[in-house]
Amino acid sequence: MGMGEDVYRQSDVGREFFDRAEAATGLEIGKLCLEGPAEQLDRTDIAQPAIFTVSAAILATMRSILSPSQLAHFQPAFMAGLSLGEYSALYAAGAMTFETGVKLVARRGQLMQQAAEAVPSGMVSVMGLDEDRARKLCEAAAEGEILTCANFNCPGQIVLSGQSDACRRAIGLAEKFGATGTVPLKVAGAFHSEIMAPAAEKFARALDDVRFDHPNVPVISNVDALPYTSADQIRDKLLTQLTSPVRWAQSMEYLLAQGLRTPYEVGPGRALAGLMRRIDRDTNVVPVSSLAAVEEMKLQHP
């Protein structure tokens, strides 16, 4: 089944979001999600608006199927999203309209793809290091090139981002610094690093045209793992996020300290549930990635 296919085919409310996304971006998002081809859907300039659309369609389906009392039961105390997911969280919290969000992520993906293609670069997941040793690995492997910590996903998993040769050197040196393993990631380029600076410069102009509203639910920012305190912060933090590390592990640790009990992962995939198992094994994330998952929520809380 393609990404979001059951919501697209069986939920009129969900299908509407695919139509709105296509009207806003000019991309055939429904067709790409259902039919691919995979190599096109995997491109960051396509994947970002597609994932944002599917996430919004699932959320809209939840809000249409669940009763007011059920929605009150599932009302979140906080929202958060990893990298692109931060835009989904801000949309879900009412900080921007769907059309604003899908246009922003489409432009973001386009600019990130261009920046990635301009410089041979990539990302490497490194296991078994803390932040200090990961930074020292970057310093040793860089040799004058760009290499930096880009994602603090969970304890023992840090993603490095930089020029291709520097990434290869990091793989070769990782064990010396105490790493237990490395995995080169299948991405277009070095996201959340200085290599994205040209994208950030152009994206700033797109953000200048957007008026954000204060989120009606606190949203955690990737760059500092703290809630936004005003709408005025959104532009600058989203811009900073392009060239700065995503502090996902720290974001979840902040929420756990606030009493997080049962998080729900709304959108395609279960990546965040997997990361949470490494952050706090006693906290189970409930994936809501399909129409069937929404219907299960309804049955469990009549």
Side-chain angles (χ1 to χ4, degrees):
M1 179 179 288
M3 184 170 68
E5 183 173 350
D6 61 346
V7 173
Y8 180 91
R9 296 195 187 282
Q10 300 174 46
S11 168
D12 291 341
V13 171
R15 172 65 181 270
E16 179 187 343
F17 277 79
F18 287 86
D19 294 341
R20 288 168 64 184
E22 292 180 2
T25 65
L27 298 170
E28 292 183 316
I29 289 178
K31 181 179 179 181
L32 288 164
C33 284
L34 271 61
E35 302 175 14
E39 58 270 20
Q40 187 173 2
L41 185 58
D42 288 344
R43 285 176 56 94
T44 193
D45 53 344
I46 302 297
Q48 292 199 33
I51 292 170
F52 181 87
T53 298
V54 172
S55 300
I58 294 171
L59 179 64
T61 300
M62 281 178 57
R63 289 172 172 170
S64 68
I65 288 179
L66 300 182
S67 69
S69 62
Q70 289 171 324
L71 287 172
H73 175 82
F74 292 112
Q75 175 63 26
F78 292 91
M79 293 185 181
L82 196 159
S83 191
L84 165 67
E86 187 168 349
Y87 290 77
S88 299
L90 286 165
Y91 159 69
M96 58 184 166
T97 66
F98 173 75
E99 277 72 17
T100 293
V102 76
K103 287 178 183 178
L104 279 179
V105 299
R107 182 60 173 155
R108 179 181 185 264
Q110 180 186 57
L111 293 172
M112 290 171 71
Q113 184 76 32
Q114 291 172 1
E117 291 173 354
V119 179
S121 59
M123 303 178 80
V124 178
S125 182
V126 180
M127 278 67 76
L129 299 186
D130 59 18
E131 182 171 346
D132 181 61
R133 286 185 294 166
R135 291 191 185 282
K136 288 177 179 176
L137 171 59
C138 288
E139 291 169 5
E143 295 186 8
E145 293 188 324
I146 294 171
L147 186 65
T148 189
C149 297
N151 293 70
F152 297 98
N153 285 337
C154 60
Q157 186 187 115
I158 296 173
V159 177
L160 311 185
S161 183
Q163 289 168 263
S164 297
D165 287 343
C167 287
R168 283 192 285 270
R169 288 191 292 269
I171 292 171
L173 290 170
E175 187 176 352
K176 177 182 175 182
F177 284 82
T180 57
T182 58
V183 179
L185 302 184
K186 295 180 179 180
V187 293
F191 303 141
H192 303 293
S193 78
E194 295 172 47
I195 290 171
M196 292 294 113
E201 183 178 349
K202 295 174 183 176
F203 193 53
R205 294 195 283 273
L207 289 170
D208 284 341
D209 295 332
V210 176
R211 176 189 170 275
F212 293 103
D213 294 318
H214 186 79
N216 53 41
V217 174
V219 176
I220 308 302
S221 166
N222 284 184
V223 300
D224 57 13
L226 293 171
Y228 286 97
T229 58
S230 73
D232 294 338
Q233 293 181 319
I234 296 175
R235 177 196 178 278
D236 289 345
K237 287 192 177 186
L238 290 180
L239 200 57
T240 300
Q241 191 222 66
L242 279 173
T243 55
S244 298
V246 171
R247 294 192 170 275
W248 185 253
Q250 295 90 335
S251 297
M252 294 303 98
E253 288 162 2
Y254 173 86
L255 292 181
L256 287 165
Q258 307 308 306
L260 177 68
R261 292 291 179 268
T262 306
Y264 287 79
E265 181 177 0
V266 179
R270 301 186 177 193
L272 302 184
L275 295 180
M276 182 58 85
R277 284 194 292 271
R278 299 281 300 275
I279 296 168
D280 184 77
R281 67 177 61 187
D282 294 327
T283 301
N284 294 316
V285 175
V286 179
V288 186
S289 58
S290 65
L291 178 61
V294 175
E295 291 172 339
E296 182 66 21
M297 292 171 71
K298 186 174 181 67
L299 290 173
Q300 288 182 351
H301 298 275

